[in-house]
Amino acid sequence: MHPLKKNKSVNIITLGCSKNLVDSEQLAGYLNSAGYDVRYDSGDFSDIAIVNTCGFIQDAKEESIDTILDFIRAKTENKVGKVIVMGCLSQRYAEELSKEIPEVDAFYGLDDIPRIARELFDDPKKTLIGERQISTPSHYAYLKIAEGCNRKCSFCAIPMIRGKHRSRPSDEIIREAEYLSNQGVKELILISQDLSFYGYDLNKRYQLPDLIRKLAEIEKLKWIRLQYLYPASFPFEILKITQENNKICKYIDIPIQHISDKILRSMRRGFSQKETIGLLNRIRKEVPEAAIRTTLITGYPGETESDFEALIEFIETFRFERLGAFTYSEEEGTQAAGLNDNIPQELKQERLERIMQLQETISLEKNQSLIGKKLNVLIDRFEGDFYVGRTQFDSPEVDNEVLIPRQNGMLETGRFYEVITTAAHPYDLTARLLT
Ligand code: SF4
């Protein structure tokens, strides 16, 4: 395919997780370096549309295919010049997809970003030093510190798609963080499939504590947030750093998936109920102010009523600050796909709703205990009659928000403000500026 002429427009559509988002932003960084006008999720005409797909679970696959077909339709209506597909679905099924949707101009896998830039565009930079066109609001960005995963969770297709765990060299990560902070980023959200494992593949040492210490030295960065910590080989040193260093958000994101030993064993999580409770209690003890976020799967093959009741009882007693849950979705090629997916979809849904109803009550009670408290809030946007922001206890898009009525005066997006909370809602707080 002939490289696209310069000053042509490129539209990148990103599906799936924040790791995919960073991939899209890196590709945009290459195209920017070659003078292309890159937009995200634009409805306008573009010479090239690049669909960065997700292939994690059935729903995500369907959404990716629907999006590709939307752009193929747009191509027939001359609203798009060329359609390129990349990302997890393409990594996994490029052959099948190219047979089923031959109208797509090219399919690329995951580690193909430099190749896409080279093959489709005129003389992009050979290598990037952290340059990305971030697609998030300019004051926060995701920072991917590793790719792939070495864990063997029975239900998960990611290791098959993204391969073995590969940590990025820390100096490369620091350079990217400095680049982003010079672009105005104040909050960096560290991501990978498994943050706990960072560095071990490089020299058999868990290096996340060293990395966050170095990142915290970057002056312009105000918040460093950790997402996707794995319970096994948990780097305990980060608890001391989180407790002592105000730049590290008191926010521990640790998916535990379930609490029944039978289910944890079948999930091959390599971590028992006793160890899970021990770890969570140690986090509470060493970082008492921390918001602990977890993710759960319900309806996993063989989950009995008593397994589920054990999970409900655990949520009631431990009372997570932040919690997300999903119903089990059988994924082809995973070890769990060999198990009898015996829980009817309605029952899976029913169990999911019970978990989220319980969490809504817990979240409201925890928010009510914050009324009248002072909080430091980073403003993300203005919406309706409110400035909407987050505390250090909240990740973008998944956690709670703080609503500040416009009567409080003109606030700036991307700036921190001291506020006093005035009202509590299940997943939001209302607050006024501290004068
Ligand atoms: S830790 Fe488990 S669930 Fe997470 S990406 Fe790795 S295999 Fe999948």
Side-chain angles (χ1 to χ4, degrees):
M1 193 188 312
H2 294 293
L4 187 75
K5 287 275 160 288
K6 284 192 184 309
N7 69 24
K8 293 292 183 186
S9 62
V10 181
N11 180 15
I12 302 181
I13 302 92
T14 306
L15 303 166
C17 67
S18 51
K19 280 102 36 197
N20 244 17
L21 197 71
V22 171
D23 292 349
S24 294
E25 295 176 353
Q26 273 162 357
L27 176 58
Y30 275 103
L31 307 189
N32 281 340
S33 74
Y36 291 93
D37 155 26
V38 181
R39 283 163 266 170
Y40 291 114
D41 306 317
S42 156
D44 306 342
F45 171 87
S46 60
D47 295 288
I48 278 197
I50 303 177
V51 183
N52 188 358
T53 59
C54 175
F56 183 39
I57 52 174
Q58 196 49 33
D59 292 357
K61 291 182 201 172
E62 282 161 20
E63 185 196 8
S64 294
I65 290 169
D66 292 346
T67 307
I68 297 169
L69 294 176
D70 287 348
F71 279 90
I72 292 299
R73 252 189 309 282
K75 188 179 165 187
T76 55
E77 295 156 8
N78 294 325
K79 291 191 188 124
V80 159
K82 291 187 190 317
V83 177
I84 307 297
V85 173
M86 62 182 275
C88 291
L89 189 76
S90 185
Q91 172 79 18
R92 211 171 165 190
Y93 303 110
E95 220 178 298
E96 297 89 330
L97 287 170
S98 54
K99 287 199 196 92
E100 282 157 29
I101 323 177
E103 300 87 346
V104 168
D105 295 278
F107 288 93
Y108 289 91
L110 280 166
D111 298 331
D112 281 345
I113 292 168
R115 187 160 76 89
I116 299 173
R118 245 192 347 270
E119 289 181 5
L120 298 183
F121 302 91
D122 246 346
D123 136 55
K125 266 194 179 172
K126 300 281 170 293
T127 53
L128 291 185
I129 306 173
E131 293 105 312
R132 278 165 43 196
Q133 179 182 323
I134 64 169
S135 56
T136 50
S138 59
H139 55 273
Y140 74 81
Y142 295 97
L143 181 64
K144 188 156 62 166
I145 67 171
E147 185 54 278
C149 185
N150 286 8
R151 310 283 176 183
K152 300 196 170 1
C153 306
S154 63
F155 51 83
C156 181
I158 292 176
M160 269 191 295
I161 303 172
R162 290 197 170 244
K164 284 275 174 221
H165 183 105
R166 309 172 306 279
S167 299
R168 294 175 65 198
S170 66
D171 58 348
E172 191 186 296
I173 295 171
I174 301 294
R175 263 208 311 273
E176 185 168 334
E178 280 160 352
Y179 168 83
L180 292 167
S181 70
N182 291 333
Q183 303 295 309
V185 168
K186 295 184 179 127
E187 175 186 9
L188 264 189
I189 305 163
L190 272 55
I191 58 171
S192 74
Q193 308 299 348
D194 170 5
L195 232 60
S196 300
F197 199 82
Y198 176 72
Y200 197 81
D201 55 314
L202 299 176
N203 60 8
K204 299 274 174 277
R205 218 170 45 80
Y206 296 109
Q207 297 177 42
L208 186 62
D210 297 350
L211 179 65
I212 58 176
R213 274 198 203 93
K214 284 187 201 144
L215 288 168
E217 285 161 18
I218 300 175
E219 211 212 317
K220 290 181 187 156
L221 288 180
K222 302 303 175 203
W223 278 355
I224 293 162
R225 186 181 303 282
L226 310 182
Q227 283 188 346
Y228 308 105
L229 287 157
Y230 193 86
S233 62
F234 187 88
F236 286 102
E237 220 185 316
I238 64 164
L239 297 180
K240 190 165 178 303
I241 303 169
T242 303
Q243 182 57 19
E244 292 169 359
N245 188 319
N246 282 335
K247 277 198 179 180
I248 315 299
C249 293
K250 291 184 175 44
Y251 178 87
I252 306 284
D253 173 39
I254 184 163
I256 64 167
Q257 309 301 4
H258 212 286
I259 199 64
S260 135
D261 271 325
K262 185 193 83 188
I263 300 290
L264 287 170
R265 262 195 308 280
S266 175
M267 284 180 166
R268 305 198 306 180
R269 293 287 287 172
F271 213 61
S272 71
Q273 177 183 108
K274 190 161 171 280
E275 289 166 322
T276 303
I277 294 169
L279 169 61
L280 293 171
N281 288 338
R282 180 167 172 182
I283 296 171
R284 283 261 190 258
K285 187 160 164 281
E286 296 193 21
V287 195
E289 217 196 325
I292 303 180
R293 177 183 174 83
T294 199
T295 310
L296 302 173
I297 293 177
T298 187
Y300 182 85
E303 184 189 54
T304 61
E305 205 44 49
S306 71
D307 294 322
F308 178 67
E309 289 307 329
L311 190 58
I312 288 288
E313 198 189 313
F314 177 66
I315 298 168
E316 269 163 355
T317 42
F318 190 78
R319 296 171 62 77
F320 288 94
E321 283 69 24
R322 313 281 182 260
L323 183 148
F326 303 89
T327 55
Y328 170 74
S329 158
E330 183 176 304
E331 215 17 66
E332 119 186 74
T334 61
Q335 191 263 343
L339 304 173
N340 173 14
D341 185 4
N342 60 343
I343 315 285
Q345 192 54 36
E346 307 74 55
L347 181 54
K348 287 181 185 175
Q349 201 51 39
E350 215 180 278
R351 288 179 176 174
L352 175 66
E353 279 154 24
R354 253 191 79 193
I355 290 173
M356 294 321 293
Q357 269 155 20
L358 171 58
Q359 182 58 23
E360 187 172 320
T361 319
I362 292 169
S363 183
L364 177 59
E365 286 163 8
K366 285 188 178 267
N367 281 348
Q368 280 165 338
S369 71
L370 292 175
I371 293 179
K373 293 268 177 8
K374 258 197 314 188
L375 291 172
N376 187 22
V377 170
L378 175 60
I379 303 296
D380 284 331
R381 64 187 187 281
F382 180 66
E383 195 179 298
D385 288 334
F386 295 93
Y387 292 95
V388 182
R390 287 172 295 113
T391 68
Q392 65 167 318
F393 310 116
D394 302 300
S395 271
E397 292 165 34
V398 289
D399 290 327
N400 295 8
E401 292 184 317
V402 180
L403 312 177
I404 303 162
R406 62 184 308 160
Q407 292 85 330
N408 283 266
M410 293 286 284
L411 308 188
E412 268 176 65
T413 299
R415 252 193 71 187
F416 292 91
Y417 292 90
E418 290 290 305
V419 303
I420 295 250
T421 55
T422 53
H425 317 279
Y427 293 115
D428 294 320
L429 291 162
T430 305
R432 63 173 173 76
L433 269 195
L434 192 67
T435 47

